[in-house]
Amino acid sequence: MGSSTAPVLNTAATPGRLADVYSEVQKSRLNYPLPLPDVLKRPFQIVDGPPSSAAGNPDEIAKLFPKLFGQPSVSLIPAESFRLDQKLKIGVVLSGGQAPGGHNVISGIFDYLQDRAKGSILYGFRGGPAGVMKCKYVELSSEFIYPYRNQGGFDMICSGRDKIETPEQFKQAEETAVKLDLDGLVIIGGDDSNTNACLLAENFRAKNMKTRVIGCPKTIDGDLKSKEVPTSFGFDTACKIYSEMIGNVMTDARSTGKYYHFVRLMGRAASHITLECALQTHPNITIIGEEVAAKKQTLKNVTDYITDIICKRADLGYNYGVILIPEGLIDFIPEVQQLIAELNEILAHDVVDEGGMWKKKLRHQSQLLFEFLPQAIQEQLMLERDPHGNVQVAKIETEKMLISMVETELERRKQIGQYKGQFKGQSHFFGYEGRCGLPTNFDSTYCYALGYAAGALLHFGKTGLISSVGNLGAPVEQWTVGGTALTLLMDVERRHGKFKPVIKKAMVELEGAPFRKFASMRDEWAIKNRYISPGPIQFHGPACNDINHTLLLELGAQA
Amino acid sequence: MGSSTAPVLNTAATPGRLADVYSEVQKSRLNYPLPLPDVLKRPFQIVDGPPSSAAGNPDEIAKLFPKLFGQPSVSLIPAESFRLDQKLKIGVVLSGGQAPGGHNVISGIFDYLQDRAKGSILYGFRGGPAGVMKCKYVELSSEFIYPYRNQGGFDMICSGRDKIETPEQFKQAEETAVKLDLDGLVIIGGDDSNTNACLLAENFRAKNMKTRVIGCPKTIDGDLKSKEVPTSFGFDTACKIYSEMIGNVMTDARSTGKYYHFVRLMGRAASHITLECALQTHPNITIIGEEVAAKKQTLKNVTDYITDIICKRADLGYNYGVILIPEGLIDFIPEVQQLIAELNEILAHDVVDEGGMWKKKLRHQSQLLFEFLPQAIQEQLMLERDPHGNVQVAKIETEKMLISMVETELERRKQIGQYKGQFKGQSHFFGYEGRCGLPTNFDSTYCYALGYAAGALLHFGKTGLISSVGNLGAPVEQWTVGGTALTLLMDVERRHGKFKPVIKKAMVELEGAPFRKFASMRDEWAIKNRYISPGPIQFHGPACNDINHTLLLELGAQA
């Protein structure tokens, strides 16, 4: 099923992209046939599971979601016949950063409505949640959607980082829902956006509105997942793009034999991307933020760990290598957090004298750490400030900082005869290149199923669920489809004296299968060169449907 | 033909790479069947063309190459039968920076010897020309070569930047040639390496040695080409890798709507890579070094050109875009060269006082330029010096410099009401990721043919030629094969009062078809968003055999 037969390209009717200037690969992706899980191809019904609880503090979650708490997650199962002749008016919105596959979620919703609820209307809210609040939308048609099928980016309707969370914002969303007579709204986003999706679902239900809300798990960071939601879309593609580049840099390192490439990878909160890229490429050194935090490591510890391996490799005649670093590394190091807090305080209230007397206001340990930092980083900490006067940690180029600190330490060891090699560091940041690539076959298919399922859940009147497609290790035909109660994923955090619901970010688990596999191999990778070059993502031929290691290992561990 | 049938993977016998840890894509590439031009599949003979001249100053070239000057270029044509039963001892060496496809040139030579001169020996000199001089080599076998077939990098025998050019160095090369009883040597390299290949051929001939020398055109920069040598290998793959990433960044720019991405691309001497990537992706702004030089533009001109387009786009509501910059931009700007020369002089001989009095020693124009530069760049110019005390131009991050200068100019225009937009610059450098990628089908096949042809030229006793494969717009079967007299590509430069032979780098020609196509479209690309996302290199499916725009346009212009 799936109405993906190509209409005649009507460029006049597509105010967005013009598929007639597409590259050959883009064109070939337009008509890539998207398989659906069997259950979505035939008549199905929806069955409820047992009542659900919460990921933590169920009593508080129950208070925050009096209407929705406890509702069951649901599964789609085959049925004798399919009789729902209700036409729907549905809205869809993209929330937060781009992830490859977002356009396919929208295609999936659209095709569901075409296939199962002919005559329905799908509105795309423009520019993220702000589009919902301001009622800025476009009515999506087959012609409008066609050029975006299996294409990267979020530009079909664009995204935004606004949130719908205050009473006034809820009111605006209500007005839009009433004005467009919405039966449902699909919110495609990460942990925060899905938390807000659930609050909105609760609010609509509390006001006895007919508008239902369904979430979809999106983030390249891979930190929105649970037993029920095996992965967020975009992670697969982004990691494969970064791994292609890492593999190329590895081959370069081995060929020239004279550079250490320090590669910082996108992913501020969790280190899933870094871990996955390590599993795909086998770098000499990989720093996982969650491990650094668990072991309460200092910046000096991390520097020494890297330097030790560089020295060992030099003894073996290797003066090159590849090192992966998660973007959020600094956030995992408690002493750095402490230093930054103190700096914020001092910079806000004290005079920073050229003589450096101000440094005495730092606690002893922070002072040592500050002196340990390369001068460029010291300056960055002092000069780059956000509008609130705070140090901008996100601006620190961690890879360059580490190169500089490793250089200093190697120089010291050289002086005392402990190191005789040559060291040249090359820094890289792989980020934007991965967020908007053409989605892999997996992300294309997974997103299409997520969207199609979201349509089905709304059609059956469900709300407060996140679209869930499982059994992903099996062929697509056998994938399971359902919806997970968003409240089941929630815990609370205390902020400003109040409980706030949160879907906790799924961090790299040190006891999880992906990290354990990595940990079992990293000593070998450090010394021997076991580089793998995954090469560019392929849409045809062998391995084009392979899924990423993280997901595969987690599925295997679950089985 | 071509002995590329897979031997059993004997990992113990492969001291280099271990194909058993390859990714699926790497594995699938190992057995990619390499088609040969028809003329190489059947009996052939070699026919001489007319006597050759030189690219410039033929009289001087004749003096520098008394033995070789004037020798004809040659072509391979079909023959009734093929009877050469001489076994050969051949050496091969990789010279200079990596380019995707180098391993296939070696495979091509090896397979030629297997197919046509059974019992021959192929030595791979390790670590570039130094390996020739130090007689550091490995005897290449089918098992040794197999894991490198169609793989990126140069690590089969590695490369180096040493040169064989002094009498002592020639002597060392002679000793190696004698010791290994070499019938021939294939030098895979760029303009410099091929110039030296010709000098070595002349030297061997003058000494009545039997060792012949054949060159192969290698460089991702694309600046070694002529009528006879349509392209250098590696350019196709590198540009496609960069274009994939640029396309992704474009989609990101369009989706978020708030960043200007400044992308610096590898390629110090010529801007071919930048031009090719522009033709593949249609960025809003592209700076071509050769045009900047031809129009004698200043840094201020370049900044204003960029800023003007950003302002026009802001008026249209676009506060985002993508800008391509060649790595060597600064080298094309005369005033910057002048400033750097003066700085080198001052820094070597004068005291640089904190008050800045030293700046008065700069000529007025250089002083203005220095003040125009962002502070970070000023500091970089003052602090980063090479071992000779010279400013390190190569270390300047041109993309960051331009972001900073554009910011300043936009701020000025904002003050006087000429600009109302928002500007956020994001910098990128795409370099190492492209040099060692898996070669495209084109580079794989082209390199294999170049290597196979080099074997044939040596078999027929030719020397001082560069392996030449032409008619590249046609199917592989119809490609032409021959050797071009290296002296034909040469001109002289006067250095230290002496004439030195050089193969002039092929720069972007402003009257050439690729630049003219770009120039005819760039105004539209600037204002309208005509982004193309080429996507990842495909080895199967539609367009997997397409060649790059530059080559296609140049072939078309020639026809």
PDB file of all heavy atoms in Angstrom, chain A residues 23 154 245 248 252 255 426 432-433 435 533 537-539, chain B residues 23 154 245 248 252 255 426 432-433 435 533 537-539:
ATOM      1  N   SER A  23      19.478  16.175  -8.032  1.00  0.00           N
ATOM      2  CA  SER A  23      20.553  15.299  -8.492  1.00  0.00           C
ATOM      3  C   SER A  23      19.965  13.941  -8.848  1.00  0.00           C
ATOM      4  O   SER A  23      18.826  13.627  -8.477  1.00  0.00           O
ATOM      5  CB  SER A  23      21.606  15.144  -7.390  1.00  0.00           C
ATOM      6  OG  SER A  23      21.095  14.344  -6.336  1.00  0.00           O
ATOM      7  N   PHE A 154      14.258  19.329   6.894  1.00  0.00           N
ATOM      8  CA  PHE A 154      12.921  19.540   7.456  1.00  0.00           C
ATOM      9  C   PHE A 154      12.216  20.646   6.688  1.00  0.00           C
ATOM     10  O   PHE A 154      11.234  21.210   7.161  1.00  0.00           O
ATOM     11  CB  PHE A 154      13.057  19.980   8.930  1.00  0.00           C
ATOM     12  CG  PHE A 154      13.110  18.846   9.916  1.00  0.00           C
ATOM     13  CD1 PHE A 154      13.220  17.527   9.516  1.00  0.00           C
ATOM     14  CD2 PHE A 154      13.020  19.118  11.289  1.00  0.00           C
ATOM     15  CE1 PHE A 154      13.273  16.493  10.443  1.00  0.00           C
ATOM     16  CE2 PHE A 154      13.069  18.097  12.221  1.00  0.00           C
ATOM     17  CZ  PHE A 154      13.191  16.782  11.806  1.00  0.00           C
ATOM     18  N   MET A 245      32.847   9.578   7.033  1.00  0.00           N
ATOM     19  CA  MET A 245      33.930  10.566   7.077  1.00  0.00           C
ATOM     20  C   MET A 245      35.061  10.115   7.993  1.00  0.00           C
ATOM     21  O   MET A 245      36.238  10.299   7.674  1.00  0.00           O
ATOM     22  CB  MET A 245      33.371  11.909   7.510  1.00  0.00           C
ATOM     23  CG  MET A 245      32.447  12.480   6.444  1.00  0.00           C
ATOM     24  SD  MET A 245      32.123  14.222   6.707  1.00  0.00           S
ATOM     25  CE  MET A 245      30.809  14.099   7.891  1.00  0.00           C
ATOM     26  N   ASN A 248      37.130   7.635   6.206  1.00  0.00           N
ATOM     27  CA  ASN A 248      38.025   8.282   5.239  1.00  0.00           C
ATOM     28  C   ASN A 248      39.238   8.894   5.934  1.00  0.00           C
ATOM     29  O   ASN A 248      40.366   8.784   5.454  1.00  0.00           O
ATOM     30  CB  ASN A 248      37.280   9.377   4.464  1.00  0.00           C
ATOM     31  CG  ASN A 248      36.262   8.821   3.489  1.00  0.00           C
ATOM     32  OD1 ASN A 248      36.172   7.607   3.313  1.00  0.00           O
ATOM     33  ND2 ASN A 248      35.484   9.670   2.871  1.00  0.00           N
ATOM     34  N   ASP A 252      43.228   8.064   5.628  1.00  0.00           N
ATOM     35  CA  ASP A 252      44.205   9.138   5.443  1.00  0.00           C
ATOM     36  C   ASP A 252      45.302   9.049   6.509  1.00  0.00           C
ATOM     37  O   ASP A 252      46.498   9.152   6.203  1.00  0.00           O
ATOM     38  CB  ASP A 252      43.501  10.492   5.533  1.00  0.00           C
ATOM     39  CG  ASP A 252      44.284  11.586   4.831  1.00  0.00           C
ATOM     40  OD1 ASP A 252      45.228  12.119   5.426  1.00  0.00           O
ATOM     41  OD2 ASP A 252      43.950  11.892   3.688  1.00  0.00           O
ATOM     42  N   SER A 255      47.590   6.259   5.748  1.00  0.00           N
ATOM     43  CA  SER A 255      48.389   6.482   4.534  1.00  0.00           C
ATOM     44  C   SER A 255      49.515   7.476   4.760  1.00  0.00           C
ATOM     45  O   SER A 255      50.628   7.266   4.301  1.00  0.00           O
ATOM     46  CB  SER A 255      47.492   6.995   3.399  1.00  0.00           C
ATOM     47  OG  SER A 255      46.587   5.998   2.992  1.00  0.00           O
ATOM     48  N   GLN A 426      45.246  17.064  14.175  1.00  0.00           N
ATOM     49  CA  GLN A 426      44.336  17.698  13.209  1.00  0.00           C
ATOM     50  C   GLN A 426      42.948  17.651  13.813  1.00  0.00           C
ATOM     51  O   GLN A 426      42.497  16.593  14.239  1.00  0.00           O
ATOM     52  CB  GLN A 426      44.321  16.915  11.890  1.00  0.00           C
ATOM     53  CG  GLN A 426      45.497  17.160  10.982  1.00  0.00           C
ATOM     54  CD  GLN A 426      45.449  18.517  10.290  1.00  0.00           C
ATOM     55  OE1 GLN A 426      44.454  19.235  10.373  1.00  0.00           O
ATOM     56  NE2 GLN A 426      46.542  18.880   9.652  1.00  0.00           N
ATOM     57  N   TYR A 432      26.883  19.432  11.308  1.00  0.00           N
ATOM     58  CA  TYR A 432      25.815  19.828  10.386  1.00  0.00           C
ATOM     59  C   TYR A 432      25.696  18.912   9.187  1.00  0.00           C
ATOM     60  O   TYR A 432      24.617  18.750   8.624  1.00  0.00           O
ATOM     61  CB  TYR A 432      26.043  21.266   9.926  1.00  0.00           C
ATOM     62  CG  TYR A 432      25.951  22.236  11.078  1.00  0.00           C
ATOM     63  CD1 TYR A 432      27.078  22.647  11.775  1.00  0.00           C
ATOM     64  CD2 TYR A 432      24.714  22.708  11.507  1.00  0.00           C
ATOM     65  CE1 TYR A 432      26.985  23.508  12.854  1.00  0.00           C
ATOM     66  CE2 TYR A 432      24.615  23.570  12.577  1.00  0.00           C
ATOM     67  CZ  TYR A 432      25.751  23.968  13.249  1.00  0.00           C
ATOM     68  OH  TYR A 432      25.631  24.816  14.316  1.00  0.00           O
ATOM     69  N   GLU A 433      26.823  18.306   8.793  1.00  0.00           N
ATOM     70  CA  GLU A 433      26.805  17.435   7.611  1.00  0.00           C
ATOM     71  C   GLU A 433      25.881  16.246   7.790  1.00  0.00           C
ATOM     72  O   GLU A 433      25.462  15.632   6.809  1.00  0.00           O
ATOM     73  CB  GLU A 433      28.223  16.894   7.336  1.00  0.00           C
ATOM     74  CG  GLU A 433      29.282  17.949   7.131  1.00  0.00           C
ATOM     75  CD  GLU A 433      29.919  18.400   8.444  1.00  0.00           C
ATOM     76  OE1 GLU A 433      29.301  18.204   9.503  1.00  0.00           O
ATOM     77  OE2 GLU A 433      31.025  18.951   8.385  1.00  0.00           O
ATOM     78  N   ARG A 435      22.974  16.055   9.904  1.00  0.00           N
ATOM     79  CA  ARG A 435      21.590  16.242  10.333  1.00  0.00           C
ATOM     80  C   ARG A 435      20.596  16.228   9.182  1.00  0.00           C
ATOM     81  O   ARG A 435      19.403  16.025   9.391  1.00  0.00           O
ATOM     82  CB  ARG A 435      21.435  17.575  11.065  1.00  0.00           C
ATOM     83  CG  ARG A 435      22.382  17.760  12.231  1.00  0.00           C
ATOM     84  CD  ARG A 435      21.937  18.895  13.122  1.00  0.00           C
ATOM     85  NE  ARG A 435      21.618  20.106  12.358  1.00  0.00           N
ATOM     86  CZ  ARG A 435      21.173  21.228  12.915  1.00  0.00           C
ATOM     87  NH1 ARG A 435      21.012  21.286  14.228  1.00  0.00           N
ATOM     88  NH2 ARG A 435      20.906  22.284  12.189  1.00  0.00           N
ATOM     89  N   SER A 533      36.400   1.220   7.223  1.00  0.00           N
ATOM     90  CA  SER A 533      35.874   2.342   6.454  1.00  0.00           C
ATOM     91  C   SER A 533      34.487   1.963   5.946  1.00  0.00           C
ATOM     92  O   SER A 533      34.372   1.196   5.004  1.00  0.00           O
ATOM     93  CB  SER A 533      36.823   2.633   5.286  1.00  0.00           C
ATOM     94  OG  SER A 533      36.384   3.751   4.571  1.00  0.00           O
ATOM     95  N   ILE A 537      26.970   5.923   2.370  1.00  0.00           N
ATOM     96  CA  ILE A 537      25.689   5.218   2.497  1.00  0.00           C
ATOM     97  C   ILE A 537      25.246   4.733   1.124  1.00  0.00           C
ATOM     98  O   ILE A 537      25.257   5.497   0.165  1.00  0.00           O
ATOM     99  CB  ILE A 537      24.620   6.162   3.091  1.00  0.00           C
ATOM    100  CG1 ILE A 537      24.924   6.437   4.568  1.00  0.00           C
ATOM    101  CG2 ILE A 537      23.214   5.601   2.911  1.00  0.00           C
ATOM    102  CD1 ILE A 537      24.097   7.554   5.172  1.00  0.00           C
ATOM    103  N   GLN A 538      24.870   3.478   1.022  1.00  0.00           N
ATOM    104  CA  GLN A 538      24.392   2.914  -0.233  1.00  0.00           C
ATOM    105  C   GLN A 538      22.888   2.702  -0.176  1.00  0.00           C
ATOM    106  O   GLN A 538      22.347   2.296   0.859  1.00  0.00           O
ATOM    107  CB  GLN A 538      25.103   1.586  -0.532  1.00  0.00           C
ATOM    108  CG  GLN A 538      26.607   1.736  -0.735  1.00  0.00           C
ATOM    109  CD  GLN A 538      26.949   2.578  -1.948  1.00  0.00           C
ATOM    110  OE1 GLN A 538      26.667   2.201  -3.079  1.00  0.00           O
ATOM    111  NE2 GLN A 538      27.541   3.746  -1.709  1.00  0.00           N
ATOM    112  N   PHE A 539      22.222   3.001  -1.281  1.00  0.00           N
ATOM    113  CA  PHE A 539      20.775   2.798  -1.349  1.00  0.00           C
ATOM    114  C   PHE A 539      20.427   1.536  -2.129  1.00  0.00           C
ATOM    115  O   PHE A 539      19.270   1.132  -2.196  1.00  0.00           O
ATOM    116  CB  PHE A 539      20.108   4.027  -1.971  1.00  0.00           C
ATOM    117  CG  PHE A 539      20.323   5.281  -1.179  1.00  0.00           C
ATOM    118  CD1 PHE A 539      20.963   6.378  -1.720  1.00  0.00           C
ATOM    119  CD2 PHE A 539      19.895   5.348   0.142  1.00  0.00           C
ATOM    120  CE1 PHE A 539      21.164   7.535  -0.985  1.00  0.00           C
ATOM    121  CE2 PHE A 539      20.097   6.503   0.897  1.00  0.00           C
ATOM    122  CZ  PHE A 539      20.726   7.602   0.335  1.00  0.00           C
TER     123      PHE A 539
ATOM    124  N   SER B  23      34.203  -3.346   6.130  1.00  0.00           N
ATOM    125  CA  SER B  23      32.767  -3.087   6.132  1.00  0.00           C
ATOM    126  C   SER B  23      32.152  -3.773   4.908  1.00  0.00           C
ATOM    127  O   SER B  23      32.858  -4.170   3.980  1.00  0.00           O
ATOM    128  CB  SER B  23      32.502  -1.582   6.064  1.00  0.00           C
ATOM    129  OG  SER B  23      32.859  -1.072   4.786  1.00  0.00           O
ATOM    130  N   PHE B 154      46.435   5.374   0.290  1.00  0.00           N
ATOM    131  CA  PHE B 154      47.697   5.032  -0.380  1.00  0.00           C
ATOM    132  C   PHE B 154      48.461   4.035   0.481  1.00  0.00           C
ATOM    133  O   PHE B 154      49.659   3.832   0.291  1.00  0.00           O
ATOM    134  CB  PHE B 154      48.561   6.291  -0.535  1.00  0.00           C
ATOM    135  CG  PHE B 154      48.306   7.074  -1.802  1.00  0.00           C
ATOM    136  CD1 PHE B 154      47.243   6.768  -2.637  1.00  0.00           C
ATOM    137  CD2 PHE B 154      49.148   8.119  -2.164  1.00  0.00           C
ATOM    138  CE1 PHE B 154      47.021   7.496  -3.799  1.00  0.00           C
ATOM    139  CE2 PHE B 154      48.935   8.843  -3.320  1.00  0.00           C
ATOM    140  CZ  PHE B 154      47.871   8.537  -4.131  1.00  0.00           C
ATOM    141  N   MET B 245      28.667  16.496   1.216  1.00  0.00           N
ATOM    142  CA  MET B 245      28.594  17.228   2.487  1.00  0.00           C
ATOM    143  C   MET B 245      28.023  18.622   2.298  1.00  0.00           C
ATOM    144  O   MET B 245      27.234  19.092   3.109  1.00  0.00           O
ATOM    145  CB  MET B 245      29.969  17.266   3.123  1.00  0.00           C
ATOM    146  CG  MET B 245      30.408  15.881   3.576  1.00  0.00           C
ATOM    147  SD  MET B 245      31.808  15.954   4.675  1.00  0.00           S
ATOM    148  CE  MET B 245      33.111  16.097   3.485  1.00  0.00           C
ATOM    149  N   ASN B 248      24.340  18.394   2.006  1.00  0.00           N
ATOM    150  CA  ASN B 248      23.718  18.192   3.315  1.00  0.00           C
ATOM    151  C   ASN B 248      23.643  19.502   4.095  1.00  0.00           C
ATOM    152  O   ASN B 248      22.633  19.805   4.729  1.00  0.00           O
ATOM    153  CB  ASN B 248      24.504  17.161   4.127  1.00  0.00           C
ATOM    154  CG  ASN B 248      24.352  15.749   3.587  1.00  0.00           C
ATOM    155  OD1 ASN B 248      23.583  15.509   2.651  1.00  0.00           O
ATOM    156  ND2 ASN B 248      25.081  14.806   4.157  1.00  0.00           N
ATOM    157  N   ASP B 252      20.434  21.674   5.417  1.00  0.00           N
ATOM    158  CA  ASP B 252      20.383  22.161   6.793  1.00  0.00           C
ATOM    159  C   ASP B 252      20.119  23.667   6.818  1.00  0.00           C
ATOM    160  O   ASP B 252      19.273  24.154   7.568  1.00  0.00           O
ATOM    161  CB  ASP B 252      21.708  21.847   7.503  1.00  0.00           C
ATOM    162  CG  ASP B 252      21.549  21.794   9.011  1.00  0.00           C
ATOM    163  OD1 ASP B 252      21.541  22.867   9.648  1.00  0.00           O
ATOM    164  OD2 ASP B 252      21.409  20.696   9.546  1.00  0.00           O
ATOM    165  N   SER B 255      16.603  24.360   5.975  1.00  0.00           N
ATOM    166  CA  SER B 255      15.665  23.896   6.993  1.00  0.00           C
ATOM    167  C   SER B 255      15.648  24.798   8.216  1.00  0.00           C
ATOM    168  O   SER B 255      14.592  25.108   8.745  1.00  0.00           O
ATOM    169  CB  SER B 255      16.020  22.466   7.433  1.00  0.00           C
ATOM    170  OG  SER B 255      15.809  21.553   6.384  1.00  0.00           O
ATOM    171  N   GLN B 426      28.655  30.002  10.102  1.00  0.00           N
ATOM    172  CA  GLN B 426      29.167  28.707  10.566  1.00  0.00           C
ATOM    173  C   GLN B 426      30.312  28.322   9.636  1.00  0.00           C
ATOM    174  O   GLN B 426      30.144  28.349   8.420  1.00  0.00           O
ATOM    175  CB  GLN B 426      28.093  27.617  10.465  1.00  0.00           C
ATOM    176  CG  GLN B 426      27.065  27.618  11.573  1.00  0.00           C
ATOM    177  CD  GLN B 426      27.626  27.100  12.891  1.00  0.00           C
ATOM    178  OE1 GLN B 426      28.732  26.576  12.947  1.00  0.00           O
ATOM    179  NE2 GLN B 426      26.844  27.257  13.950  1.00  0.00           N
ATOM    180  N   TYR B 432      40.506  16.580   4.534  1.00  0.00           N
ATOM    181  CA  TYR B 432      41.004  15.220   4.719  1.00  0.00           C
ATOM    182  C   TYR B 432      39.948  14.162   4.421  1.00  0.00           C
ATOM    183  O   TYR B 432      40.291  13.048   4.037  1.00  0.00           O
ATOM    184  CB  TYR B 432      41.532  15.058   6.151  1.00  0.00           C
ATOM    185  CG  TYR B 432      42.718  15.943   6.409  1.00  0.00           C
ATOM    186  CD1 TYR B 432      42.578  17.203   6.972  1.00  0.00           C
ATOM    187  CD2 TYR B 432      43.993  15.532   6.041  1.00  0.00           C
ATOM    188  CE1 TYR B 432      43.666  18.030   7.179  1.00  0.00           C
ATOM    189  CE2 TYR B 432      45.086  16.345   6.246  1.00  0.00           C
ATOM    190  CZ  TYR B 432      44.921  17.595   6.811  1.00  0.00           C
ATOM    191  OH  TYR B 432      46.003  18.406   7.000  1.00  0.00           O
ATOM    192  N   GLU B 433      38.685  14.528   4.607  1.00  0.00           N
ATOM    193  CA  GLU B 433      37.608  13.554   4.380  1.00  0.00           C
ATOM    194  C   GLU B 433      37.560  13.091   2.931  1.00  0.00           C
ATOM    195  O   GLU B 433      37.006  12.039   2.638  1.00  0.00           O
ATOM    196  CB  GLU B 433      36.249  14.179   4.737  1.00  0.00           C
ATOM    197  CG  GLU B 433      36.118  14.682   6.147  1.00  0.00           C
ATOM    198  CD  GLU B 433      36.592  16.139   6.297  1.00  0.00           C
ATOM    199  OE1 GLU B 433      37.379  16.591   5.443  1.00  0.00           O
ATOM    200  OE2 GLU B 433      36.173  16.789   7.250  1.00  0.00           O
ATOM    201  N   ARG B 435      40.287  12.974   0.602  1.00  0.00           N
ATOM    202  CA  ARG B 435      41.487  12.469  -0.073  1.00  0.00           C
ATOM    203  C   ARG B 435      41.562  10.947  -0.095  1.00  0.00           C
ATOM    204  O   ARG B 435      42.297  10.380  -0.903  1.00  0.00           O
ATOM    205  CB  ARG B 435      42.746  12.990   0.626  1.00  0.00           C
ATOM    206  CG  ARG B 435      42.796  14.491   0.742  1.00  0.00           C
ATOM    207  CD  ARG B 435      44.182  14.973   1.089  1.00  0.00           C
ATOM    208  NE  ARG B 435      44.766  14.230   2.192  1.00  0.00           N
ATOM    209  CZ  ARG B 435      45.987  14.426   2.652  1.00  0.00           C
ATOM    210  NH1 ARG B 435      46.756  15.350   2.091  1.00  0.00           N
ATOM    211  NH2 ARG B 435      46.459  13.734   3.663  1.00  0.00           N
ATOM    212  N   SER B 533      21.379  18.528  -3.813  1.00  0.00           N
ATOM    213  CA  SER B 533      22.042  17.630  -2.875  1.00  0.00           C
ATOM    214  C   SER B 533      22.464  16.376  -3.628  1.00  0.00           C
ATOM    215  O   SER B 533      21.631  15.531  -3.935  1.00  0.00           O
ATOM    216  CB  SER B 533      21.071  17.289  -1.746  1.00  0.00           C
ATOM    217  OG  SER B 533      21.698  16.501  -0.783  1.00  0.00           O
ATOM    218  N   ILE B 537      28.030   9.082  -2.587  1.00  0.00           N
ATOM    219  CA  ILE B 537      28.485   8.375  -3.789  1.00  0.00           C
ATOM    220  C   ILE B 537      27.828   6.997  -3.833  1.00  0.00           C
ATOM    221  O   ILE B 537      27.844   6.266  -2.843  1.00  0.00           O
ATOM    222  CB  ILE B 537      30.014   8.228  -3.770  1.00  0.00           C
ATOM    223  CG1 ILE B 537      30.676   9.589  -4.009  1.00  0.00           C
ATOM    224  CG2 ILE B 537      30.487   7.200  -4.800  1.00  0.00           C
ATOM    225  CD1 ILE B 537      32.172   9.602  -3.732  1.00  0.00           C
ATOM    226  N   GLN B 538      27.250   6.649  -4.972  1.00  0.00           N
ATOM    227  CA  GLN B 538      26.625   5.343  -5.142  1.00  0.00           C
ATOM    228  C   GLN B 538      27.500   4.469  -6.036  1.00  0.00           C
ATOM    229  O   GLN B 538      28.064   4.958  -7.019  1.00  0.00           O
ATOM    230  CB  GLN B 538      25.226   5.497  -5.741  1.00  0.00           C
ATOM    231  CG  GLN B 538      24.254   6.256  -4.846  1.00  0.00           C
ATOM    232  CD  GLN B 538      23.988   5.523  -3.542  1.00  0.00           C
ATOM    233  OE1 GLN B 538      23.424   4.432  -3.538  1.00  0.00           O
ATOM    234  NE2 GLN B 538      24.404   6.107  -2.424  1.00  0.00           N
ATOM    235  N   PHE B 539      27.578   3.205  -5.667  1.00  0.00           N
ATOM    236  CA  PHE B 539      28.353   2.266  -6.472  1.00  0.00           C
ATOM    237  C   PHE B 539      27.457   1.384  -7.343  1.00  0.00           C
ATOM    238  O   PHE B 539      27.915   0.636  -8.191  1.00  0.00           O
ATOM    239  CB  PHE B 539      29.233   1.400  -5.568  1.00  0.00           C
ATOM    240  CG  PHE B 539      30.231   2.200  -4.783  1.00  0.00           C
ATOM    241  CD1 PHE B 539      30.216   2.203  -3.405  1.00  0.00           C
ATOM    242  CD2 PHE B 539      31.177   2.988  -5.437  1.00  0.00           C
ATOM    243  CE1 PHE B 539      31.142   2.948  -2.678  1.00  0.00           C
ATOM    244  CE2 PHE B 539      32.099   3.749  -4.721  1.00  0.00           C
ATOM    245  CZ  PHE B 539      32.080   3.720  -3.344  1.00  0.00           C
TER     246      PHE B 539
END
